[in-house]
Amino acid sequence: MDFVNVDHLLKDAIDMHMHPGPGAMCRLDAMEAARQALQAGMRAIVLKSHPGGVAVANMVSQLVPGIKVIGSVTLNYEVGGLNPYAVSNAAMYGAKVVWMPTFASSNSINKMRALGLPLQGAGISLLDKDGKLVPEVHQILALVKKYDMVLATGHISPQETFTLFTEAQKIGIKKLFITHPTDAEFSEKLLTISELQQLAKMGAYSEFTLVGILPNEFCHDPVKIVENIKAIGPEHCIISTDLGQPQNPLPVEGLRLFIAILLHHGLTQKEVEYLVKVNPARLLGLE
C-alpha cells in the first residue's frame, strides 16, 4: 500500500455510531467526543445511547460549534420500547436517527440467553404471531417519514429487517441503515451477504464497525470486512466506530485506525470516502 495521509481522510468524516457519556461505562463524555472530532476536522458525529436520550446532543451541539452533534433515539425498554411518543419527542429535540431495539430486542436477548446470561422475558419483537409489523411500528414509521429521519435496525432479526424496510419503502422512507449486520455477538440470527446485497438494492446502507475487528472485542478478520464491503459495494456501506467504552480507543483515534486498516487490506481512498463521508452525509441530509 502506498503512503496515505489518513488524517486527510478524517477531514469531513462522519461517525454514525458513537457511545460517549454521560454514563459510568463510558471513556469520555459527549462534550469531549465533540471537541476531539472537531479537532480532527470531522464533519459530524451521531450519539447513540442504548437507554435513549437526545437532549445531550442538542446541548453539546450548541456548546461545541463547528461540529454537528446529532442525537438519536433507541427504542429499548428505557424509553418504553416501540414507543411513538419517544420518537416524536426525540424528533422535536432534533434527533435524526431512530434505532430499533438493540439489547432489548428478541433477537439480541435470545443470543444473550444462549450464551448463559440469566435474562427474563422474550424481548421486543417488531412482528406479531403472523409475521406482520405490530401497530406501534406503523406509527413510528409515519413519524420517521414525517421528520425525514434515518431508520436504523438496531439488533433485530433478518425477518424483521426485511419486513420493516419493505413497509418503510412503501410509505416513502429512503434513509435505511443496517446496524453492524455481521456481528454475531449481538444477534441470534444474522443477515447473509446475499441478503445485504438485496437490501442494498432497496437503498439500504450496511454498517461495519471498528469494535468488530478489535482484538479485545469481536476479533473479526479485517480482510473479511474488506471482502464484505466489496461484495455489497462501498457505495452501499458505512463504517463507524461504535466506541466510547472504557476499555477501547477513543472514537476519533478509533476511526483513524479503522481507515488505516481498511486501506492496508485493499480499499482505495475513493472507497473509504464513500464509507466515512459520502454515504453518511446522504443518510443525515448533510450533502
Side-chain angles (χ1 to χ4, degrees), residues 60 70 79 101 115 118 127 179 188 226 257 281:
V60 172
I70 298 169
V79 300
L115 293 174
L127 307 178
T179 318
E188 179 187 34
V226 169
L257 174 65

Side-chain angles (χ1 to χ4, degrees), residues 20-21 28-36 47 56 59-61 63-64:
L28 76 173
D29 62 24
M31 185 83 73
E32 184 58 29
R35 287 171 175 160
Q36 291 182 10
L47 307 187
V56 169
M59 177 181 66
V60 172
S61 65
L63 294 174
V64 188

